[in-house]
Amino acid sequence: MRRDDDLPAWVSEIPAERRPQLNAKGGLSISCTRLVQQFLSKNFSRKLSLAEMAAICELSPYHFARAFSKTFGVSPHQYVLNLRLDFAERLLADRRMSITDIADLSGFSSQSHLTTTMKKYRNATPQQVRARQGRSRTSE
């Protein structure tokens, strides 16, 4: 059995909703989980293939996708989308940046792709997120 104080320090830095299950049966090993997270946090804004992610763990794309889903609770694609959306939301706070530039920096193929994806998964368009952030700043 693994105790919480034995877990690597990097796990405690991950938001609770994105924390991997380090002991999930059929999931990724702890070292592979850490390597994949580090890789994705540095490369989420570029085009990524499942084969490229799987190569980090020396697994086939099929086995990697299954193990990743068991460890993270979402598919690799969904995990990367969440990283991109989180980054885009942080960039939207800077009103000097255009939404097109934010979409490009966040790894989306176009402003339309960002808008469609954000509306689908965050229930708000980039413009609505930006307006919400403006309101929360004025109330502080």
Side-chain angles (χ1 to χ4, degrees):
M1 280 275 163
R2 183 179 289 121
R3 295 188 347 236
D4 285 340
D5 58 341
D6 293 335
L7 295 178
W10 59 269
V11 173
S12 63
E13 298 170 4
I14 302 167
E17 67 275 2
R18 295 242 174 80
R19 254 184 220 143
Q21 279 193 295
L22 296 177
N23 57 355
K25 185 174 182 178
L28 300 172
S29 69
I30 292 173
S31 60
C32 187
T33 300
R34 182 177 39 79
L35 288 172
V36 168
Q37 276 192 309
Q38 289 172 346
F39 174 79
L40 292 178
S41 68
K42 292 177 185 170
N43 295 288
F44 69 87
S45 63
R46 68 178 182 83
K47 189 172 185 166
L48 296 168
S49 70
L50 190 58
E52 184 180 10
M53 290 184 256
I56 293 167
C57 298
E58 299 177 357
L59 294 171
S60 72
Y62 173 79
H63 284 100
F64 173 78
R66 288 180 53 105
F68 187 99
S69 295
K70 287 185 180 193
T71 301
F72 290 95
V74 294
S75 69
H77 176 72
Q78 187 62 51
Y79 188 86
V80 171
L81 270 182
N82 283 328
L83 290 174
R84 289 176 178 174
L85 289 169
D86 290 346
F87 186 67
E89 284 182 8
R90 286 194 303 274
L91 292 178
L92 285 166
D94 183 355
R95 294 189 167 280
R96 296 171 297 177
M97 290 185 75
S98 73
I99 294 174
T100 303
D101 289 340
I102 291 170
D104 184 53
L105 290 170
S106 301
F108 291 96
S109 58
S110 65
Q111 176 181 344
S112 175
H113 184 211
L114 168 62
T115 301
T116 303
T117 305
M118 191 170 276
K119 182 74 174 163
K120 181 176 181 178
Y121 294 106
R122 303 289 167 94
N123 297 317
T125 65
Q127 197 64 40
Q128 291 168 332
V129 169
R130 185 171 264 176
R132 217 180 298 143
Q133 289 173 342
R135 283 194 301 269
S136 66
R137 277 202 178 141
T138 57
S139 64
E140 290 177 358

